[in-house]
Amino acid sequence: MGTRSKPLPWWLFLSAMLLFSYKTQGADTLSAGQSLSRGQTLLSQGGIFELGFFSPGKSDNRFYIGIWYKNFVSRITVWVANRNIPISNRYPWELKIAKDGNLVILSDSKIIWSTDLPSNSSNTSSSLEAVLLDSGNFVLRDGAAVIWQSFDHPTDTWLPGAKLGLNKLAKQAQQLTSWRNSENPSSGMFSVGTDPNGSTQFLIQWNGSKTYWSSGLWNGQIFGLVPEMRLNNIYNFSYVSNENENYFTYSVYNISILSRFILDLSGQFMQLTWKDGEWGWILFLVKPRQRCDVYALCGAFGHCNIDQNLPMCECLQGFEPRSLEETSLSDWSGGCVRGTTLQCRNNTSDNGDQDGFIQMHSMSLPENPQSLPIGSAKECKLACLNKCSCTAYAYNGSGCSIWDGDLLNLRKFSDGDSGEQNFYLRLAASEIKGL
Ligand SMILES: *[C@@H]1O[C@H](CO)[C@@H](O)[C@H](O)[C@H]1NC(C)=O
Ligand SMILES: *[C@@H]1O[C@H](CO)[C@@H](O)[C@H](O)[C@H]1NC(C)=O
Ligand SMILES: *[C@@H]1O[C@H](CO)[C@@H](O)[C@H](O)[C@H]1NC(C)=O
Ligand SMILES: *[C@@H]1O[C@H](CO)[C@@H](O)[C@H](O)[C@H]1NC(C)=O
Ligand SMILES: *[C@@H]1O[C@H](CO)[C@@H](O)[C@H](O)[C@H]1NC(C)=O
Ligand SMILES: *[C@@H]1O[C@H](CO)[C@@H](O)[C@H](O)[C@H]1NC(C)=O
Ligand SMILES: *[C@@H]1O[C@H](CO)[C@@H](O)[C@H](O)[C@H]1NC(C)=O
Ligand SMILES: *[C@@H]1O[C@H](CO)[C@@H](O)[C@H](O)[C@H]1NC(C)=O
Ligand SMILES: *[C@@H]1O[C@H](CO)[C@@H](O)[C@H](O)[C@H]1NC(C)=O
């Protein structure tokens, strides 16, 4: 008695860890019947990509299966299987080919991610295998037949050889969706893909709806609004259209040059290349070029600074970030919230000071104004004040605009640049007194 609850000696942990890392023997294939678990990885044949479990950032309870470049000190993740369903560290987990032929992630014996292919009793072939290729593609195949591939389900990265477009048979679009923040791969606000209406161009959208950049139509060599593509002799872009699918793909002429497109946290579509002997990734293309052209980058009541020397986003006067933790990880989608509740929202306010307005300078007008048939600045202000949901107004000498609810897509110009027009932001009286 007594020995049972004694902690295990440290060297036992150490040798267990060595054993685990020794087990990452660099195989590129997971065969039917095998499984990949903690500490184990697959390595593509030429040692370019690695696949395994990882945890981005500081969290030690959110794990993902992903693919990254093998030979970089800091991890550059190019694909995440279970981006929206992290694996908890509390239970054992594994990646394997299930009996029905699907590739699955099991945690606590439950399926938390699956390739979700239709299956029936004929799918029990023992020749099924999942292979990590040097292109960064993870392929489930039966002999020569590709049954599923990660290239058809991209995360935020587009690698040479992969397609971005529309599979007409499966009615499935391949698009890139940004990470939520630098430590969380779940789907963020921005996505890029080909025009769902079928024209040969890329569109970048906010929240799956608002288009804020388009590439212009493909003319066979370049996109209409991306003339820089003419200067390139590194990669070969092509468009393929047939009865089954429409897509763009690209290859690099010199395979020793690494290239990747990403949809960054900033909502910008970037192409980066890396050549042997060069220090770091070179930014080849970035669209839209100005970060403030990204729609609603700074969330509700936040504004984007056009001046690159200033922080990307800040809150409007009288507001503070909804989540300091998220904004510190470059995720401003939560925007900003009022420091002080408006009087019209707070029935218990006994001093009853009316809300007021401050003038916003050098700022673009917010999205979605409503026009009112009002002929003076004073009446325009009153119209806003008398409507509790009104958060701002502007009067331009001939017309009155008011805004209801969240103010979105604000851009702050450099000081001295007056912007389009001033508008007035509604704040609680106490916020204004302090100015
Ligand atoms: C099972 O087989 C069918 C028909 O061959 C195929 O369409 C399907 O993708 C397969 N499913 C899996 C999980 O391999
Ligand atoms: C099972 O797969 C075979 C071959 O693909 C197919 O002919 C059959 O209809 C499938 N059965 C079911 C129940 O899905
Ligand atoms: C697609 O076409 C419809 C109808 O013509 C149009 O309303 C919509 O804005 C188009 N979508 C895009 C993303 O261009
Ligand atoms: C994003 O779109 C969904 C519907 O697709 C909507 O419910 C949600 O409110 C939108 N988010 C924002 C921040 O507008
Ligand atoms: C570019 O790629 C296309 C499609 O793969 C191919 O047909 C064409 O020959 C390539 N062009 C060059 C210059 O390699
Ligand atoms: C490919 O690029 C490497 C440097 O990254 C260079 O050493 C090599 O000569 C290039 N090969 C060709 C065929 O241009
Ligand atoms: C304020 O009072 C009005 C009328 O009594 C009521 O309808 C409203 O819900 C109240 N608002 C809040 C935020 O308590
Ligand atoms: C409502 O107003 C009172 C008095 O000004 C203040 O103490 C209270 O914090 C306010 N409530 C909210 C939710 O802002
Ligand atoms: C002034 O504002 C009104 C209402 O929003 C708008 O219709 C009009 O085009 C604006 N005029 C000018 C010169 O900006």
Side-chain angles (χ1 to χ4, degrees):
M1 91 171 230
T3 50
R4 223 170 10 136
S5 57
K6 212 167 157 186
L8 293 168
W10 63 270
W11 51 265
L12 200 58
F13 281 111
L14 192 65
S15 50
M17 276 166 61
L18 289 174
L19 202 64
F20 268 124
S21 52
Y22 182 69
K23 269 166 78 187
T24 67
Q25 69 285 70
D28 65 349
T29 304
L30 188 69
S31 306
Q34 294 182 325
S35 70
L36 196 73
S37 53
R38 183 172 201 169
Q40 296 178 311
T41 59
L42 297 180
L43 192 60
S44 69
Q45 204 168 40
I48 298 173
F49 287 100
E50 187 167 35
L51 177 147
F53 289 89
F54 73 103
S55 171
K58 295 178 282 290
S59 164
D60 59 357
N61 200 29
R62 281 188 293 119
F63 283 80
Y64 300 88
I65 285 202
I67 298 174
W68 53 86
Y69 292 98
K70 170 68 180 166
N71 291 317
F72 286 86
V73 178
S74 60
R75 193 197 310 277
I76 299 168
T77 309
V78 298
W79 183 73
V80 182
N82 53 315
R83 71 183 304 180
N84 291 312
I85 318 153
I87 303 164
S88 161
N89 206 15
R90 266 181 298 167
Y91 310 106
W93 17 261
E94 58 181 350
L95 172 72
K96 63 188 285 189
I97 299 171
K99 288 214 172 64
D100 71 354
N102 274 300
L103 198 57
V104 297
I105 300 174
L106 293 171
S107 168
D108 192 23
S109 311
K110 289 195 268 296
I111 293 177
I112 66 151
W113 176 85
S114 163
T115 47
D116 274 334
L117 298 165
S119 66
N120 67 27
S121 54
S122 63
N123 286 84
T124 51
S125 167
S126 62
S127 55
L128 277 175
E129 56 180 16
V131 190
L132 178 63
L133 303 177
D134 275 333
S135 58
N137 194 7
F138 189 41
V139 176
L140 179 64
R141 66 189 184 195
D142 192 354
V146 171
I147 294 165
W148 176 94
Q149 52 184 347
S150 63
F151 268 14
D152 289 339
H153 306 271
T155 309
D156 68 341
T157 302
W158 185 29
L159 292 172
K163 306 166 181 177
L164 276 192
L166 182 70
N167 183 324
K168 297 178 199 168
L169 293 181
K171 291 206 164 58
Q172 195 179 53
Q174 292 103 23
Q175 57 174 24
L176 310 181
T177 303
S178 61
W179 281 32
R180 173 63 60 175
N181 65 45
S182 54
E183 298 186 352
N184 184 347
S186 69
S187 305
M189 294 304 274
F190 310 112
S191 58
V192 62
T194 54
D195 180 0
N197 283 356
S199 73
T200 56
Q201 62 181 328
F202 281 112
L203 303 178
I204 312 184
Q205 295 184 323
W206 174 83
N207 202 21
S209 55
K210 178 81 186 179
T211 300
Y212 60 85
W213 182 79
S214 59
S215 63
L217 295 177
W218 176 248
N219 71 4
Q221 260 114 43
I222 62 165
F223 292 101
L225 302 177
V226 195
E228 306 93 301
M229 284 180 78
R230 247 186 227 120
L231 302 173
N232 131 76
N233 55 3
I234 287 189
Y235 56 91
N236 176 10
F237 231 83
S238 52
Y239 179 68
V240 176
S241 176
N242 58 42
E243 65 215 46
N244 300 335
E245 49 188 356
N246 293 338
Y247 62 85
F248 286 98
T249 187
Y250 73 107
S251 56
V252 283
Y253 294 122
N254 182 340
I255 56 160
S256 75
I257 296 177
L258 302 179
S259 174
R260 60 192 169 109
F261 279 88
I262 60 167
L263 189 58
D264 191 65
L265 293 174
S266 66
Q268 290 167 303
F269 193 31
M270 300 177 171
Q271 184 183 19
L272 299 130
T273 61
W274 188 83
K275 289 185 202 171
D276 241 350
E278 276 178 6
W279 293 97
W281 292 86
I282 293 171
L283 191 58
F284 226 74
L285 270 184
V286 50
K287 297 289 173 182
R289 185 179 293 277
Q290 300 292 339
R291 61 188 183 181
C292 291
D293 289 342
V294 173
Y295 184 78
L297 177 62
C298 301
F301 302 108
H303 69 81
C304 178
N305 284 312
I306 286 177
D307 184 344
Q308 302 270 350
N309 298 318
L310 295 174
M312 181 174 79
C313 293
E314 285 172 317
C315 290
L316 295 180
Q317 211 154 22
F319 289 77
E320 54 206 41
R322 185 181 298 276
S323 162
L324 276 175
E325 190 193 341
E326 280 162 13
T327 54
S328 74
L329 299 171
S330 305
D331 173 16
W332 278 81
S333 60
C336 305
V337 293
R338 280 184 196 282
T340 309
T341 312
L342 293 177
Q343 185 260 346
C344 79
R345 292 267 176 216
N346 183 354
N347 290 347
T348 64
S349 172
D350 41 12
N351 58 10
D353 272 352
Q354 254 195 341
D355 300 333
F357 292 90
I358 56 166
Q359 190 177 12
M360 307 303 289
H361 300 281
S362 308
M363 189 96 68
S364 65
L365 294 180
E367 283 288 301
N368 305 323
Q370 297 172 27
S371 292
L372 297 182
I374 284 175
S376 80
K378 203 172 156 210
E379 283 174 74
C380 188
K381 177 178 177 180
L382 268 178
C384 186
L385 201 56
N386 290 335
K387 190 176 182 194
C388 195
S389 60
C390 180
T391 47
Y393 78 90
Y395 186 77
N396 65 6
S398 62
C400 171
S401 300
I402 63 167
W403 284 267
D404 259 357
D406 291 350
L407 300 181
L408 275 183
N409 206 34
L410 292 160
R411 280 162 289 162
K412 185 150 175 48
F413 306 103
S414 312
D415 280 337
D417 189 341
S418 62
E420 300 157 40
Q421 187 192 330
N422 294 327
F423 70 93
Y424 294 83
L425 174 70
R426 182 180 201 150
L427 289 176
S430 61
E431 293 279 351
I432 294 171
K433 271 189 206 137
L435 294 179

